[in-house]
Amino acid sequence: MSRRYSIWALARNALSHHENWPKAWRSPEPKPAYNALIIGGGGHGLAAAYYLAKLHGMTNIAVLERGWIGGGNTGRNTTIVRSNYLLDENAHFYEHSLKLWEGLSEDLNYNVMFSQRKVINTCHTLGEREATVRRYNSMRLRGIDAEFLTREDLARLEPAMNLSQDVRYPIVCALAQPRGGTARHDAVAWGFARGADSLGVDIIQNCEVTGIDRDPVSGAVTGVQTTRGAIKSGKIGIAVAGHSSQVAAMAGIRLPIESHLLQAFVSEPVKPFLNTVVSTGAAHFYISQTDKGEVLLGGELDGYNSYSQRGSLPSIEHVIASATEMFPRIGRLRFMRQWAGVMDMTMDGSPIIGKLPAPGLYMSGGWCYGGFKATPGSGWCLAWTIAKDEPHPLNAGHTLERFRTSHMIDEKGAGPFPKAH
Amino acid sequence: MLLIPCPWCGPRDETEFVYGEAAVNRPSDPNSLSDQEWTEHLYFRDNPKGEHTERWFHRAGCHRWFSVRRNTVTHVISAAWPPGQEPKP
Amino acid sequence: MTRQVWRTESAGHGIDRSQPISFGFNQFRLEGYQGDTVASALLANGVRLVGRSFKYHRPRGIFGIGAEEPNALLQIGSGARREPNTRATVQELYQNLVAGSQNHWPSLKFDLGAMVGLAGALFPAGFYYKTFIADPKRWLWYEKRIRRMAGLGEPPADADPDDYAHINAHCDLLIAGGGPAGLAAALAAGAAGARVILADENPTLGGQLLLAPQQVDGMAGHLWAEQAQAQLAALPNVRLMTRTTVAGVYDHGLFTMVERCADHLPEPEPHQPRQRFWRVRARKAIFATGAIERPIAFANNDRPGVMLLSAVRGYLERYGVLAGRTAVLFANNDSIYPAARELAAAGLRIEAIVDARPGLSDAAAAAKADGLHVLPGHGVTAARGLREVRGADIAPIDLAGRIKGAAKTLACDLIAVSGGWNPAVHLHAQSRGRLTFQDDLAAFVPDAGAAPYASAGASAGAYDLAECLAQGFAAAEAAALVLGFRTTAPAIPAAAGDPVGAAPALWSVQAPKGARCFVDFQNDVTTKDIGLAHRENYASVEHLKRYTTLGMGTDQGKTSNVAGLALMAAKRGEAIPAVGTTTFRPPYTPFTFNAMVGGQTGEIGHPIRRTAAHDWHAANGGVFTDAAGWSRPMYYATEGLTPQQRIDEEVLAVRNAVGVVDVSTLGKLDIQGPDAAEFLDRLYTNRFSNLKVGRGRYGVMLREDGRVYDDGVTMRLADDHFHMTTTTNHSSSVFQHLEYLLQVVWPDLRVFVTPVTEQWFAAAISGPNARALLADLAPEVDVSNAALPMMGMAEGLVAGIPARIFRLSFSGEIAYEINVDADYGLALWNGILTAGGPHGLKAYGTEAMGTLRIEKGHFTHAEADGRVIMDDLGLAGMVNAANDCIGKRSLGLPDLVAPGRKQLVGFIAAAGERIPVGAQIAALDDLDAVQDALGHTTSQAYSATLGRHIALGLMKDGRAMHGRKVFALSPVLGQRAAVEVVPPCFYDPEGGRQRG
């Protein structure tokens, strides 16, 4: 069991020049067999392992990570956490995830810096106001916090915002989720890793899964082939969003997913002047300021299938242009670093959390833009599904089978075009 | 920013084009397909990490649809051709 | 004004002593010269302390001389031009420049934030993960305080007053870097006739030639650079760009460059952009970006007065500034010896030349023979002094940095350090080139093997001047040859630079417990932090970076990344390349957001589409909204009326007299060809092949997944000629969809589609008086019900203009849509308005149009939100069983035939109640209750016709719910209404009025 973290522990360790801190997690050699395997050491996979061990008593399990934990989309996003969804399945799932976030630092004894600074959606036309009010009203009927903000409210909350009517898309009003906010992305992976490790979970880095073995008769999974040897297990969870298609293909399964790039970038750090997270549908961007002081921006997909983790210019030019219109003061800040994540884009824009058509095989993927905020909820539901071999009601709608019945969970109504969600 | 070789106009910046989707061919008689087969066409994709055949529309140009073979990791475009004229690999 | 106490009498070919420049730093008024950077001018004035570090608020001075600078970040300018985090080492001095230090309170000298530094033992790397573990409310409180301590400079106070520009360019060869290798490459490629762009971030070409005395072709290096520049400037095929950074490498030969056109001026000249963002497509590129000197870490190595050796040399050579009075030089390579001689000659007192290497190199032996105080096998173990260097502790060390003997302290005010160089491989790595670790340089160099672009000179690991020149020539010749240019190998000039010796790996000197040796100055990452990361198993390169924030500052780790990696490798007991490299992401150096925006905002970024009658709308009180980029009047504001009163007037004009609305924004497609009718049959759920010429039909298109996609009326102009209308929102995507079907799916169909939305202006007149008005407008057209029935059409002059008249109705009244050539749109509109007076005509906007269609129960994209199918809208009957259209196959999928789908209904409010916008439909009249929604409203209006608030909406099993009393709730607005569920058509459901 790792030593508990606290201000006292920090003070005590300061006396010994911080030379006695234990490893946050071990780096064990893989065992030949486990009761369950999680493929993917991102936030989702580590969370699944943590909850499997903590809530379902499955501790003889391992997380297999191709590179270093938290190195995929966990470390490449805009760290926004919210649950402002319109459709039933998503609203309940993301709200459950948000509630887990609210207790996460204490649960993990690791500060994930979940900052409920409010997530604001600005509206720029009456039509947009109507659609957004509808969505936020639906949240309130479900018991999820939501509020309406006038332009005066916005002037008070975000003094740097341009509320003039003399711009291309003047702001009409905004809706907000006060409990929404941001979290420290790396810390989520590390916190779950440390928590899972302390419960006995083996976290195995630099271990790429190269094949999934299935019983030729029953089709059930029996284990995996990896770059560090074969590992047996009758239960395998896939949590590799961005690369779900590749891993599922190892079990001969095709998915309703395409991989697309989503970019984000930061400015140089400056003193705090943005207080909340602001997103806008009309101009397609979201903005917040990190605790370090960087202005963090993200926007839309690059628009074509890609695994390159290297973004294109047009989409970020567009985001910066829109953002400087809404926040003119950022125009003179400097663009410091850009990166791109590979998104699993599904055909309806909603995730797949559940069983795959091979006994013992499960997945949590297809996260589109929504993966980071879903981290604890996804892990929680995947753990439940693996442990019970059936979905929890919270993820009962997010099946792969819905693409056979056309039961789409399509928040945008954009149809079966992954790039459109 | 990609430089896309439109078979009619030559290489042009990505911003002139609209990305369609993976080059899946519409079944000639959808009514003859089972739900399983039809939803496979509608929703399921190979999503390769590597060579990918896809369709683009030259919106700010000749208004033509065409196919492109592009590597989804390196973005290198190895071929582009008008509908129905796929070059032999 | 202070005297420039550290300016030498003679050196400094980069400054013009005849042009003094006055500038401000904090409360001081100082003087420098034309050609100075802020850093060289500050040093000339003896200013050492220029800022506070990010985390511990430690005093910091100028460390480097260029883009690599981690410490000297200043706020430049004031007001809206105030720019934070500007590197003093690259900011050129201009008259009355205002510079300020950052990240301290109340002052630079006395910063309370430094308390964090004093208690620094409590705040090792990642301390925040281990403490403040609390519920989110308490964390929010802590976070607010932490945020204030971080963040460096203040953001600009207001919107940027300057202009920026975008420019695109093409070239055969882009050369990044105008040092010896880049100049050589440009000379060779230029002579071969290639179109060359040579970009260098500095105001003067020459690179390293400017920063140390060297000889090329028998002349001083900087003079040779000047001569090369003049030669290149004379070539029409070469574009020389100074103050221009190649920032990013993207796909398919695209490079971004940022040109700082006016950052060296107090403000841009009139009509001059401050910065220009270049997008360059280059067929080939050569990266000649030089190398970045690396420090060696020792205790308190961040004190002002500890500097890179090459920077100290450069300040003397280029700016005539001695960065101190008494110096200790510390290095692991031979560059220390020429440096020592130059600096001593300029009057710097050299206390010791501390050479970490155990033996004496030739250069060391020569220096020793000349009486210089050379200490081989020694290292600086600590800097003394609090706010600046007062001395250096020196002890025997080995090459692993271990202390091997007693230390002694030498008094000095400058410690100049050189730990060797790291090639600036950033662009190479961005272009997906691989890196290999070269042991003798202890550095990553480009792997030339699979590299898409060449690297030359120091950025390729060639530090010898002659070799740099040779590589530049060779790379350019190779590129020119591949591009098909004939090259005439120019003679490589003789060159004499520094002796090049190996720089053995030495990253840090052992430090006593409790002392801090900084690796990343800007983010305050110490060798101990790296040890801690390793101890806690944050041992991969990326974990190290993220856990300690190593290399995440504005300098992006230019002086720290490799050292951090090496120290981690040592902890892990592995070789550096086995541990990995870091990722190099664009941009090379940070640049202004607005450069990338390039003025592409407002109407330039998102053009506004205006109809031909726009000016009339604007002049007559039109209040506009944006609809798919079009500017459309919502209503016409009238003095003395509230918007709702005015909308009511517009609605009632249509219901009782006649109204006119501009419907030009509807998508229009001209469809021609022998198979046009067959094509429409395959597009719409209903048939068009049996439509008579001269008649129109309403059709709905589905997406392939069976959901409603678009709708509109299509008129048959001839057997093989149709005029299709689409919704405003989908006009462009429907065109694309049709072309897809014709070109890819059904290439055998002989059909041409032409988008003609902009070619036609369309005005709809509707109301009981519409026919009489049309008769007045088009006296030659038979407008009788028999000649021009519902869904009929006519052609003729309307208001004297050739027009197509379609009789169709969205409002439910007799209505005609008059289409004319867009150039005559305003004339038609005015003609209608003039003729309409006697008929009680009023112009109406989209709000009234919306109200009229809600009264009629017509759906728009508010109802058909991409999730609904025909049956949900009550339109199952429009799906022709015999027709096989796009999307029809999906209608049989299980979820589309499942019970419990949401269906279109109407809601009518109790008298006096107002249905809120965006309401949820629920059984309990309670805004705070958690309850299942029964449905939601999709659009609502006050119906002046009915005297009630009405709405359309979607409701589970809605058609079975007619007559139910439910509630429309808007908790976020605190509004509610009691409503009754009714069929979606509120007005004239039989449709007699529109056919009349």
Side-chain angles (χ1 to χ4, degrees):
Chain A
M1 171 82 192
S2 303
R3 205 178 299 172
R4 282 192 72 76
Y5 291 159
S6 68
I7 182 76
W8 312 117
L10 211 51
R12 203 167 51 240
N13 276 281
L15 298 176
S16 54
H17 302 283
H18 298 287
E19 284 177 1
N20 295 317
W21 287 106
K23 283 184 191 300
W25 57 84
R26 300 161 294 130
S27 291
E29 285 301 311
K31 293 192 263 181
Y34 289 93
N35 291 346
L37 292 174
I38 305 290
I39 305 176
H44 290 236
L46 294 164
Y50 173 74
Y51 290 119
L52 267 174
K54 184 173 182 212
L55 303 179
H56 303 283
M58 290 182 69
T59 54
N60 181 27
I61 63 176
V63 176
L64 309 180
E65 167 54 46
R66 178 176 61 168
W68 37 280
I69 60 168
N73 291 329
T74 303
R76 302 170 176 274
N77 58 78
T78 48
T79 77
I80 299 171
V81 177
R82 56 185 171 85
S83 66
N84 53 354
Y85 283 78
L86 173 69
L87 303 177
D88 262 330
E89 291 94 336
N90 285 338
H92 291 302
F93 169 79
Y94 281 106
E95 176 61 9
H96 178 69
S97 194
L98 182 54
K99 284 183 175 144
L100 290 172
W101 274 109
E102 287 174 325
L104 202 56
S105 291
E106 287 170 298
D107 185 27
L108 296 176
N109 179 236
Y110 199 102
N111 188 359
V112 299
M113 304 187 196
F114 179 42
S115 166
Q116 292 185 296
R117 56 178 77 168
K118 191 180 291 245
V119 171
I120 294 174
N121 270 199
T122 56
C123 304
H124 302 256
T125 62
L126 295 180
E128 203 184 345
R129 179 184 68 164
E130 188 162 337
T132 315
V133 166
R134 175 179 310 129
R135 175 153 58 97
Y136 278 73
N137 275 335
S138 77
M139 292 160 61
R140 286 282 289 269
L141 257 71
R142 296 181 176 115
I144 301 169
D145 62 320
E147 65 186 19
F148 182 85
L149 300 175
T150 62
R151 287 152 32 86
E152 292 68 35
D153 295 331
L154 288 170
R156 183 173 44 78
L157 285 165
E158 288 296 2
M161 188 182 272
N162 184 359
L163 292 160
S164 149
Q165 291 301 289
D166 196 24
V167 294
R168 179 66 182 89
Y169 295 108
I171 295 172
V172 174
C173 65
L175 278 297
Q177 183 176 26
R179 287 161 62 240
T182 66
R184 172 87 186 119
H185 53 357
D186 296 323
V188 178
W190 300 338
F192 273 121
R194 177 170 167 267
D197 177 89
S198 73
L199 295 167
V201 175
D202 282 358
I203 295 165
I204 301 163
Q205 302 184 79
N206 302 308
C207 178
E208 181 174 0
V209 171
T210 54
I212 295 176
D213 300 329
R214 295 176 65 173
D215 183 282
V217 181
S218 68
V221 296
T222 57
V224 296
Q225 301 294 321
T226 79
T227 50
R228 295 175 69 174
I231 305 174
K232 294 210 172 308
S233 184
K235 282 176 180 274
I236 299 170
I238 302 172
V240 296
H243 289 78
S244 294
S245 298
Q246 272 67 46
V247 177
M250 293 176 192
I253 294 166
R254 222 167 159 233
L255 296 176
I257 285 176
E258 285 184 358
S259 296
H260 286 254
L261 290 186
L262 183 62
Q263 295 194 67
F265 53 94
V266 286
S267 74
E268 292 184 345
V270 288
K271 291 294 176 193
F273 74 107
L274 294 174
N275 304 311
T276 65
V277 179
V278 178
S279 72
T280 159
H284 310 295
F285 74 88
Y286 25 95
I287 183 169
S288 65
Q289 193 176 9
T290 68
D291 286 348
K292 276 189 73 182
E294 300 143 332
V295 175
L296 171 58
L297 282 150
E300 295 231 295
L301 299 175
D302 276 8
Y304 40 84
N305 299 41
S306 178
Y307 291 89
S308 77
Q309 290 193 342
R310 182 171 87 168
S312 191
L313 269 184
S315 62
I316 52 174
E317 286 180 5
H318 179 89
V319 167
I320 296 180
S322 302
T324 55
E325 280 189 278
M326 192 186 283
F327 293 98
R329 288 172 66 186
I330 70 170
R332 227 175 156 93
L333 297 185
R334 293 194 197 89
F335 177 75
M336 184 168 83
R337 186 168 63 241
Q338 75 177 104
W339 63 91
V342 180
M343 306 289 114
D344 262 10
M345 298 303 300
T346 61
M347 284 283 177
D348 64 357
S350 291
I352 298 165
I353 326 165
K355 300 166 73 164
L356 291 181
L361 190 61
Y362 313 86
M363 81 172 274
S364 168
W367 285 103
C368 303
Y369 292 66
F372 181 70
K373 65 180 101 63
T375 305
S378 159
W380 194 94
C381 287
L382 181 60
W384 176 287
T385 310
I386 292 173
K388 315 266 184 194
D389 195 35
E390 65 181 22
H392 185 272
L394 282 167
N395 62 312
H398 292 98
T399 60
L400 177 63
E401 287 71 42
R402 72 179 189 270
F403 296 95
R404 296 297 179 191
T405 62
S406 198
H407 183 83
M408 298 295 94
I409 310 174
D410 188 348
E411 291 275 335
K412 276 190 174 175
F417 306 103
K419 63 162 186 171
H421 292 286
Chain B
M1 184 153 55
L2 306 180
L3 192 63
I4 298 173
C6 171
W8 285 275
C9 307
R12 295 286 188 276
D13 267 351
E14 167 190 331
T15 46
E16 291 187 13
F17 299 85
V18 172
Y19 178 72
E21 55 180 333
V24 284
N25 292 322
R26 186 173 196 265
S28 54
D29 182 11
N31 291 318
S32 67
L33 302 183
S34 67
D35 281 359
Q36 178 84 11
E37 290 165 334
W38 177 244
T39 53
E40 193 72 25
H41 162 72
L42 259 187
Y43 297 123
F44 289 76
R45 297 291 178 266
D46 288 336
N47 194 24
K49 187 172 184 175
E51 295 299 303
H52 185 244
T53 305
E54 60 204 22
R55 292 201 180 94
W56 290 79
F57 180 62
H58 198 177
R59 177 159 71 185
C62 59
H63 285 171
R64 297 289 191 129
W65 282 94
F66 57 95
S67 296
V68 167
R69 188 155 55 236
R70 184 178 56 90
N71 186 299
T72 56
V73 179
T74 65
H75 292 178
V76 169
I77 293 174
S78 51
W81 62 92
Q85 298 178 32
E86 179 165 8
K88 294 212 167 63
Chain C
M1 202 171 289
T2 348
R3 210 162 49 84
Q4 299 184 40
V5 288
W6 285 5
R7 189 80 73 177
T8 61
E9 290 303 319
S10 54
H13 55 73
I15 53 167
D16 180 352
R17 292 179 195 246
S18 70
Q19 291 194 58
I21 288 179
S22 164
F23 71 105
F25 173 67
N26 289 349
Q27 68 273 37
F28 307 109
R29 195 79 209 159
L30 304 172
E31 187 180 84
Y33 293 122
Q34 182 68 38
D36 262 326
T37 62
V38 171
S40 67
L42 285 172
L43 283 172
N45 285 278
V47 176
R48 310 292 291 273
L49 173 62
V50 299
R52 290 279 173 171
S53 71
F54 191 87
K55 181 175 167 189
Y56 297 134
H57 290 242
R58 285 170 68 103
R60 290 290 164 80
I62 293 158
F63 184 70
I65 197 169
E68 76 287 356
E69 176 63 38
N71 276 345
L73 305 181
L74 302 180
Q75 196 117 298
I76 304 288
S78 55
R81 286 202 170 89
R82 179 175 71 195
E83 193 161 84
N85 308 340
T86 303
R87 281 158 291 150
T89 51
V90 301
Q91 175 62 52
E92 294 174 57
L93 201 63
Y94 53 76
Q95 206 58 256
N96 295 320
L97 176 145
V98 179
S101 52
Q102 306 184 144
N103 206 31
H104 46 67
W105 188 88
S107 74
L108 175 60
K109 272 204 159 160
F110 181 75
D111 175 16
L112 274 179
M115 301 297 286
V116 174
L118 295 179
L122 273 177
F123 306 106
F127 72 91
Y128 28 77
Y129 302 125
K130 296 185 174 114
T131 183
F132 311 123
I133 296 172
D135 63 78
K137 273 213 178 67
R138 272 168 56 208
W139 167 247
L140 215 52
W141 188 89
Y142 293 130
E143 184 187 44
K144 205 167 184 175
R145 277 134 197 97
I146 291 171
R147 289 183 70 180
R148 273 190 219 143
M149 288 293 289
L152 293 175
E154 296 285 343
D158 211 340
D160 190 343
D162 293 332
D163 290 325
Y164 297 80
H166 274 184
I167 190 163
N168 296 319
H170 295 260
C171 64
D172 295 315
L173 179 65
L174 172 67
I175 301 168
L183 284 171
L187 286 169
R195 289 176 307 159
V196 175
I197 294 178
L198 171 65
D200 190 278
E201 60 188 351
N202 296 298
T204 311
L205 296 179
Q208 283 306 308
L209 296 174
L210 307 179
L211 298 177
Q214 305 179 64
Q215 291 285 315
V216 184
D217 214 4
M219 61 184 96
H222 69 94
L223 294 177
W224 182 81
E226 217 169 273
Q227 177 191 299
Q229 176 161 2
Q231 278 172 17
L232 291 167
L235 293 176
N237 52 320
V238 176
R239 185 196 288 273
L240 294 179
M241 299 190 63
T242 54
R243 300 189 173 101
T244 303
T245 304
V246 179
V249 186
Y250 297 86
D251 288 319
H252 302 171
L254 184 77
F255 297 81
T256 56
M257 310 198 304
V258 180
E259 181 187 7
R260 289 170 297 280
C261 312
D263 281 359
H264 59 296
L265 304 173
E267 56 185 73
E269 309 283 349
H271 309 298
Q272 183 190 29
R274 177 185 172 225
Q275 296 174 349
R276 206 178 266 129
F277 184 66
W278 289 72
R279 287 179 292 214
V280 180
R281 287 262 186 214
R283 296 168 70 198
K284 288 273 169 193
I286 295 173
F287 304 137
T289 45
I292 297 167
E293 194 170 26
R294 57 196 186 211
I296 301 166
F298 50 82
N300 296 325
N301 59 329
D302 64 325
R303 289 285 183 251
V306 178
M307 294 177 68
L308 287 173
L309 178 62
S310 61
V312 173
R313 283 179 91 181
Y315 283 115
L316 173 62
E317 168 75 6
R318 182 153 177 71
Y319 304 104
V321 173
L322 274 180
R325 306 257 194 210
T326 310
V328 167
L329 312 185
F330 175 31
N332 62 348
N333 62 76
D334 274 346
S335 72
I336 197 171
Y337 297 102
R341 291 170 193 272
E342 289 153 33
L343 294 165
L348 184 71
R349 185 181 153 80
I350 310 283
E351 278 296 320
I353 300 174
V354 183
D355 190 333
R357 296 171 297 177
L360 281 178
S361 67
D362 292 350
K368 196 161 183 161
D370 288 349
L372 292 169
H373 184 204
V374 179
L375 290 171
H378 276 65
V380 173
T381 61
R384 296 263 169 169
L386 279 177
R387 283 208 195 102
E388 58 183 308
V389 169
R390 300 276 185 217
D393 289 358
I394 290 160
I397 61 165
D398 64 13
L399 273 177
R402 286 180 292 252
I403 297 174
K404 293 292 179 187
K408 58 182 175 197
T409 303
L410 296 179
C412 64
D413 61 0
L414 175 66
I415 302 174
V417 193
S418 173
W421 289 266
N422 289 323
V425 297
H426 302 66
L427 298 178
H428 168 81
Q430 280 188 38
S431 72
R432 297 177 206 263
R434 289 173 181 279
L435 300 174
T436 53
F437 194 78
Q438 196 170 318
D439 285 320
D440 61 328
L441 304 179
F444 286 102
V445 298
D447 178 346
Y453 305 108
S455 291
S459 63
Y463 301 155
D464 174 68
L465 179 57
E467 177 64 15
C468 282
L469 292 163
Q471 282 198 2
F473 280 117
E477 280 171 37
L481 210 61
V482 170
L483 294 173
F485 293 95
R486 193 170 308 179
T487 63
T488 47
I492 299 168
D498 282 357
V500 183
L506 174 62
W507 310 101
S508 76
V509 176
Q510 182 188 349
K513 274 197 165 52
R516 290 204 188 117
C517 309
F518 287 84
V519 179
D520 180 327
F521 292 77
Q522 191 177 117
N523 278 351
D524 284 333
V525 180
T526 66
T527 51
K528 281 168 50 180
D529 290 322
I530 294 167
L532 179 65
H534 174 258
R535 197 168 301 122
E536 296 191 277
N537 208 12
Y538 298 92
S540 82
V541 181
E542 288 290 333
H543 285 160
L544 166 67
K545 203 174 91 180
R546 289 154 183 269
Y547 190 62
T548 63
T549 72
L550 175 82
M552 306 287 265
T554 64
D555 59 331
Q556 295 285 288
K558 289 191 174 63
T559 58
S560 62
N561 273 342
V562 178
L565 180 67
L567 291 165
M568 178 57 84
K571 290 276 177 195
R572 286 169 51 168
E574 293 176 67
I576 292 170
V579 173
T581 60
T582 54
T583 320
F584 293 86
R585 302 182 197 287
Y588 175 62
T589 48
F591 62 84
T592 320
F593 276 156
N594 269 343
M596 201 181 242
V597 175
Q600 307 286 307
T601 58
E603 268 200 69
I604 299 172
H606 297 271
I608 295 177
R609 303 168 83 184
R610 296 181 174 87
T611 75
H614 182 87
D615 291 349
W616 188 96
H617 304 319
N620 287 275
V623 176
F624 292 93
T625 186
D626 189 277
W630 289 95
S631 190
R632 300 190 75 179
M634 293 188 286
Y635 59 90
Y636 298 90
T638 308
E639 195 103 67
L641 295 183
T642 64
Q644 185 60 54
Q645 286 169 332
R646 173 59 204 187
I647 293 162
D648 292 350
E649 249 190 33
E650 294 176 8
V651 168
L652 292 173
V654 175
R655 291 280 178 245
N656 301 326
V658 61
V660 61
V661 61
D662 183 346
V663 293
S664 308
T665 65
L666 286 180
K668 302 172 204 72
L669 296 171
D670 189 81
I671 300 176
Q672 300 192 43
D675 298 321
E678 165 70 17
F679 180 49
L680 294 178
D681 282 353
R682 298 187 195 182
L683 271 178
Y684 285 115
T685 64
N686 49 346
R687 291 200 93 105
F688 280 75
S689 50
N690 58 5
L691 183 65
K692 290 198 188 86
V693 171
R695 300 299 297 264
R697 186 165 286 165
Y698 172 75
V700 179
M701 273 180 223
L702 308 182
R703 287 195 316 235
E704 194 70 285
D705 68 348
R707 274 68 174 185
V708 171
Y709 171 37
D710 199 66
D711 68 326
V713 171
T714 295
M715 308 297 300
R716 188 166 203 167
L717 306 175
D719 250 354
D720 58 354
H721 190 185
F722 293 83
H723 176 94
M724 173 190 284
T725 57
T726 74
T727 61
T728 299
N729 275 351
H730 288 152
S731 64
S732 144
S733 79
V734 168
F735 169 62
Q736 217 167 286
H737 176 59
L738 266 52
E739 286 292 354
Y740 176 78
L741 294 172
L742 288 171
Q743 295 177 34
V744 178
V745 181
W746 301 312
D748 51 315
L749 288 184
R750 293 159 300 166
V751 181
F752 285 97
V753 178
T754 311
V756 292
T757 304
E758 282 83 0
Q759 276 64 37
W760 293 97
F761 173 86
I765 56 173
S766 50
N769 299 345
R771 180 177 295 125
L773 171 57
L774 182 61
D776 286 356
L777 282 164
E780 292 163 20
V781 177
D782 182 353
V783 300
S784 68
N785 210 12
L788 186 51
M790 185 64 178
M791 288 296 175
M793 67 166 286
E795 289 184 273
L797 295 178
V798 178
I801 302 162
R804 287 177 183 166
I805 306 163
F806 302 144
R807 182 163 170 199
L808 41 94
S809 177
F810 198 45
S811 62
E813 304 294 340
I814 296 172
Y816 305 91
E817 193 185 292
I818 305 164
N819 289 260
V820 299
D821 184 323
D823 289 343
Y824 296 103
L826 188 56
L828 174 74
W829 184 264
N830 281 324
I832 294 171
L833 266 293
T834 308
H839 300 283
L841 178 80
K842 275 194 166 58
Y844 65 100
T846 54
E847 286 295 305
M849 188 172 75
T851 303
L852 293 162
R853 72 97 189 164
I854 292 169
E855 289 174 348
K856 283 296 291 177
H858 293 313
F859 76 87
T860 65
H861 63 272
E863 288 73 33
D865 59 6
R867 291 182 285 264
V868 312
I869 60 174
M870 293 293 271
D871 185 57
D872 301 342
L873 297 172
L875 298 176
M878 264 189 71
V879 183
N880 186 318
N883 215 25
D884 188 13
C885 66
I886 292 289
K888 196 170 172 198
R889 171 63 186 85
S890 294
L891 296 179
L893 292 174
D895 194 63
L896 280 67
V897 295
R901 292 188 63 91
K902 283 185 173 180
Q903 294 167 338
L904 182 69
V905 294
F907 299 105
I908 187 158
E913 303 221 11
R914 163 192 283 275
I915 302 177
V917 165
Q920 292 286 306
I921 300 299
L924 287 180
D925 188 13
D926 182 346
L927 286 171
D928 297 318
V930 174
Q931 55 178 326
D932 286 335
L934 307 172
H936 62 269
T937 61
T938 50
S939 36
Q940 69 290 310
Y942 171 69
S943 165
T945 316
L946 305 175
R948 293 283 193 93
H949 279 273
I950 59 171
L952 295 176
L954 292 163
M955 197 172 172
K956 199 178 163 192
D957 292 323
R959 287 197 286 275
M961 299 291 172
H962 295 170
R964 279 274 294 272
K965 300 278 204 298
V966 291
F967 299 93
L969 306 180
S970 179
V972 297
L973 290 165
Q975 297 167 358
R976 41 75 65 202
V979 297
E980 183 185 339
V981 184
V982 295
C985 184
F986 298 85
Y987 180 76
D988 186 28
E990 289 75 36
R993 291 181 67 92
Q994 65 193 28
R995 285 192 300 271

